[in-house]
Amino acid sequence: MSKNNNIEDMLSQLITMVAAIQVEHKEMKQALEGMHQEQKEMKRVQQEMQNKIEEIETKAEERHKEILDRLTALKHDQDFIWEKTVRHEREIHAIKMKLS
């Protein structure tokens, strides 16, 4: 009888251990699923941030091009004004020479 009680006790302990392992496994699985959800959310946020960065870079590039275009136009205007000024100065000099 002692052997049977001993075996029954061992079986009872084994069943209790298996049940505890199953509960622990279930909890770990739930924790892992929660981590996966968090990871998915983080990836989504990261993608949103990447999209926003790309949008900002595109706007910055457009503004940069616009500024360069304006500077180029100002340079052309400046060149034109200088040419016109030099021509007028020559004409004024020629008129002064004729009047002198």
Side-chain angles (χ1 to χ4, degrees):
M1 194 71 153
S2 167
K3 276 186 172 181
N4 283 342
N5 282 343
N6 206 10
I7 292 175
E8 286 178 11
D9 288 343
M10 288 173 52
L11 280 174
S12 176
Q13 284 181 329
L14 186 59
I15 290 171
T16 302
M17 288 173 57
V18 169
I21 290 173
Q22 286 178 334
V23 167
E24 187 176 327
H25 180 261
K26 184 178 179 181
E27 290 172 354
M28 288 174 62
K29 189 174 180 181
Q30 288 174 343
L32 184 60
E33 288 174 5
M35 289 171 55
H36 282 169
Q37 264 318 103
E38 290 174 4
Q39 189 177 31
K40 284 179 184 179
E41 180 64 22
M42 287 173 61
K43 284 182 180 181
R44 186 184 66 75
V45 169
Q46 185 180 19
Q47 185 61 45
E48 286 176 6
M49 290 173 61
Q50 183 65 34
N51 292 343
K52 191 67 171 174
I53 289 170
E54 289 173 4
E55 181 183 323
I56 290 169
E57 287 175 345
T58 300
K59 286 181 182 179
E61 186 63 34
E62 289 171 359
R63 289 178 183 153
H64 178 72
K65 184 181 180 321
E66 182 181 337
I67 289 170
L68 286 179
D69 290 346
R70 287 182 182 183
L71 287 174
T72 301
L74 288 173
K75 174 76 171 113
H76 290 304
D77 289 347
Q78 182 185 15
D79 290 345
F80 176 75
I81 290 168
W82 278 108
E83 286 178 31
K84 199 168 186 177
T85 301
V86 169
R87 192 172 343 111
H88 287 169
E89 289 293 324
R90 287 183 185 151
E91 291 173 2
I92 290 170
H93 181 69
I95 292 170
K96 282 182 180 180
M97 294 304 282
K98 286 183 182 179
L99 293 176
S100 303

